[in-house]
Amino acid sequence: MQAKGITVSINTDIPPEPGVLDFNRIVAEARKFGPDGVIGFGGGSVLDIAKLVAALHDRPEPVNIFFGIGLLPERRTYLVCIPTTAGTGSEVSPNAILLDESEQLKKGVISPWLVPDAAYVDPLFTLSVPPAVTAATGIDAMVHCIEAYANRFAHPMVDVFALEGIRLISANLQRTVEHGQDIEARTAVALGSLYGGMCLGPVNTAAVHALAYPLGSEFHMAHGLSNALLLTHVLRFNLPAAPRRYAEIAIALGVAPEPTDIATAEAGLARIEQLCAACGIPRNLAACNVPESAIPRMAAAAMKVTRLLKNNPRELTFADAETIYRQAFQA
Ligand SMILES: NC(=O)c1ccc[n+]([C@@H]2O[C@H](COP(=O)([O-])OP(=O)(O)OC[C@H]3O[C@@H](n4cnc5c(N)ncnc54)[C@H](O)[C@@H]3O)[C@@H](O)[C@H]2O)c1
Ligand SMILES: [Fe+2]
């Protein structure tokens, strides 16, 4: 497409939860085109591909050598991200996630060079997101905030984004699921998602995301849904390690303080369960056709996500991961 002296190449062929093979196909097209700038317009799946295309279309190396933290040396192409879901916060984060089909593992390229030059967040783009995707992506955003707040590397400046993100999403997500055209609620959740994205660079997520990845890799479950199904089980495991932090999260979720931090935090977990149910999130892994026999395999895969497990407030072993999957299986 050409207009006003600008030639534009558009790719609308990016699947949800993309993998390395999808990326290779799309970056090959971009290499032929040689863009001066890249605009990602879509959900997190599209934004992550756009970020990697901008960084790698003018380099010969395969993407897999950049999986990990801080391995990408630079990005020379201008990058804009425009989210159409309220979930990943990818438009402001240094992360891009791909399924590595060779190991059946979701992996991340984490680099400051992947933070876009410009992000344009307009909640009107999210009005058409269907209820189930609205629910899953909104819970993902809330998990970014929760896992950044109760995190070994939590930071006072990031705490501000995290608590406000939790408040905005907890108070408005059900409204966006039930009334997709509610612009006020969509705006609040889009802002909460942006705040969640601000948590990802400096602090990042922890065991909820680490245990969620194998559900995406093996069963192609949507990222937000896999987080939602594990959320309260991981938090219940973590609670003894950070009762004050989880109590503060509970207050941000909208619950009244109880006499002890543990009791307040427990009330917060009940609020999350109630919110997920009200948003139509399935109760457990069994209801999503995940076989119980996959649990040891998923626990082994989750243990490889050390870049996130190291952030978790409580150390988590293979046996703990198995127990958490079993709880999530039959909850
Ligand atoms: N880079 C990061 O910081 C980061 C953070 C969290 C998750 N992720 C990754 O992002 C991906 C998930 O992104 P997502 O949760 O935004 O979902 P998604 O991009 O996969 O989109 C989910 C579905 O919603 C549709 N959709 C998107 N916008 C729409 C709209 N406005 N109206 C109607 N339909 C719309 C998509 O076509 C798709 O079918 C996963 O691969 C996950 O691992 C990245
Ligand atoms: Fe996420």
Side-chain angles (χ1 to χ4, degrees):
M1 197 171 86
Q2 189 154 21
K4 300 190 174 175
I6 298 171
T7 309
V8 180
S9 170
I10 298 175
N11 186 309
T12 55
D13 195 20
I14 300 168
E17 316 281 323
V20 170
L21 299 177
D22 299 306
F23 173 73
N24 289 346
R25 179 174 47 78
I26 293 157
V27 80
E29 215 178 287
R31 282 192 176 119
K32 278 188 232 146
F33 182 72
D36 298 320
V38 173
I39 301 175
F41 180 70
S45 299
V46 169
L47 302 189
D48 283 4
I49 291 280
K51 288 162 72 165
L52 291 172
V53 164
L56 299 180
H57 76 89
D58 54 357
R59 304 186 69 89
E61 303 98 327
V63 64
N64 56 297
I65 69 162
F66 300 113
F67 284 135
I69 301 176
L71 300 177
L72 187 70
E74 66 174 332
R75 167 172 58 82
R76 292 179 283 247
T77 302
Y78 193 79
L79 169 67
V80 181
C81 280
I82 307 171
T84 63
T85 58
T88 68
S90 177
E91 69 276 9
V92 290
S93 87
N95 307 353
I97 312 294
L98 290 179
L99 170 66
D100 182 350
E101 296 90 345
S102 68
E103 289 185 51
Q104 278 298 306
L105 274 184
K106 288 188 81 164
K107 295 186 180 173
V109 179
I110 318 296
S111 164
W113 295 103
L114 289 184
V115 179
D117 296 298
Y120 183 85
V121 182
D122 186 340
L124 295 184
F125 290 134
T126 67
L127 293 185
S128 54
V129 180
V133 179
T134 299
T137 49
I139 296 288
D140 180 33
M142 194 172 81
V143 178
H144 297 158
C145 297
I146 291 174
E147 292 210 283
Y149 192 76
N151 190 299
R152 267 190 202 187
F153 301 96
H155 187 284
M157 215 171 84
V158 175
D159 288 349
V160 177
F161 287 114
L163 286 181
E164 186 57 15
I166 294 165
R167 251 181 234 118
L168 286 165
I169 296 168
S170 175
N172 291 282
L173 185 61
Q174 189 179 341
R175 262 169 75 189
T176 61
V177 172
E178 289 172 355
H179 309 285
Q181 300 304 308
D182 184 331
I183 291 174
E184 197 182 69
R186 288 285 196 187
T187 303
V189 176
L191 188 57
S193 166
L194 177 65
Y195 288 166
M198 298 297 283
C199 296
L200 294 178
V203 178
N204 215 352
T205 57
V208 178
H209 271 71
L211 269 69
Y213 280 150
L215 288 165
S217 310
E218 188 167 345
F219 301 104
H220 303 285
M221 190 183 282
H223 174 73
L225 176 59
S226 55
N227 274 307
L229 289 164
L230 290 164
L231 178 57
T232 51
H233 307 289
V234 174
L235 298 194
R236 201 159 270 128
F237 169 82
N238 284 350
L239 206 160
R244 171 53 59 92
R245 287 258 140 182
Y246 285 112
E248 286 161 351
I249 287 170
I251 307 270
L253 284 163
V255 310
E258 298 283 340
T260 65
D261 284 343
I262 293 274
T264 307
E266 288 283 358
L269 295 186
R271 162 69 187 138
I272 294 173
E273 277 164 0
Q274 179 248 327
L275 177 64
C276 287
C279 290
I281 302 277
R283 248 198 96 64
N284 55 35
L285 295 178
C288 298
N289 300 319
V290 174
E292 198 168 5
S293 59
I295 289 177
R297 205 161 56 238
M298 292 196 295
M303 294 313 289
K304 292 186 186 164
V305 193
T306 49
R307 72 175 177 89
L308 299 182
L309 288 175
K310 72 168 173 40
N311 298 341
N312 203 52
R314 182 171 169 193
E315 194 174 332
L316 189 144
T317 64
F318 173 81
D320 296 328
E322 274 196 317
T323 305
I324 290 168
Y325 281 122
R326 277 188 214 294
Q327 287 163 348
F329 181 77
Q330 62 205 3

